[in-house]
Amino acid sequence: MLDTLDTMTSHQTTQTMKPATAAKKLGVYLQATPAEFQEGVVTRSELNALQADPPEWLQELRRTGPHPRPVVAAKLGVSIAGLARGGVTEPLTTEQIDALKDEMPSWLRQERATQAEVRKEAVRIKEKQAEDAQKRAARADEDARS
């Protein structure tokens, strides 16, 4: 029985992912990556190596873009839906993002305000849940004593 278990664990397969998944995990726009990255598969160890010691192409993409929507949204301080409401549907470069920040169109001001309200509400809910949990724990403690 033990021999069987030993042989079962020695046949592990290497975990791979599609280039789109790897690009998403790296925070880069897939179509801007080198062709060999787009056409191959990426192993977990290759992804870890790219994250630990990014090659020049990855550093440049992260620095200048074009950036995928989640990165654009984060850099602008808005949600992905907010980007769409503002008419931003394409990847943007860092230069374009900086220009938008400088220009600060009304949609961006509005979406940033909305995002700030969402964050504030999330904090309020989290604090309320913590307070409720404390009250429940105190009641349970009192019930255990009586």
Side-chain angles (χ1 to χ4, degrees):
M1 178 70 175
L2 254 156
D3 292 336
T4 309
L5 287 176
D6 285 343
T7 57
M8 288 173 65
T9 56
S10 65
H11 295 296
Q12 293 178 346
T13 58
T14 304
Q15 184 182 7
T16 61
M17 63 193 83
K18 294 178 182 175
T21 303
K24 188 174 185 177
K25 289 179 181 289
L26 292 169
V28 295
Y29 183 57
L30 177 62
Q31 285 74 11
T33 62
E36 58 271 12
F37 181 87
Q38 293 179 38
E39 295 162 3
V41 293
V42 180
T43 65
R44 174 63 63 190
S45 59
E46 289 170 338
L47 178 70
N48 291 341
L50 286 170
Q51 289 172 324
D53 187 22
E56 183 55 39
W57 66 264
L58 182 53
Q59 292 177 36
E60 184 64 22
L61 261 182
R62 286 177 169 169
R63 192 171 30 254
T64 62
H67 303 287
R69 284 180 304 168
V71 174
V72 173
K75 286 179 178 276
L76 290 174
V78 299
S79 66
I80 294 173
L83 283 180
R85 285 190 293 270
V88 178
T89 57
E90 297 298 314
L92 298 180
T93 63
T94 301
E95 189 177 308
Q96 292 169 313
I97 293 168
D98 291 343
L100 270 174
K101 286 179 183 176
D102 292 342
E103 193 180 306
M104 197 56 76
S106 61
W107 72 265
L108 183 54
R109 265 194 310 279
Q110 177 60 46
E111 291 300 332
R112 280 181 153 188
T114 299
Q115 194 68 11
E117 286 300 315
V118 167
R119 286 188 195 109
K120 198 173 1 176
E121 180 64 7
V123 167
R124 186 194 69 76
I125 290 170
K126 190 174 181 179
E127 288 172 349
K128 173 93 170 86
Q129 288 172 338
E131 184 181 311
D132 290 349
Q134 252 182 341
K135 286 178 183 175
R136 280 193 305 275
R139 276 196 303 270
D141 207 26
E142 282 179 26
D143 290 347
R145 288 186 189 147
S146 32

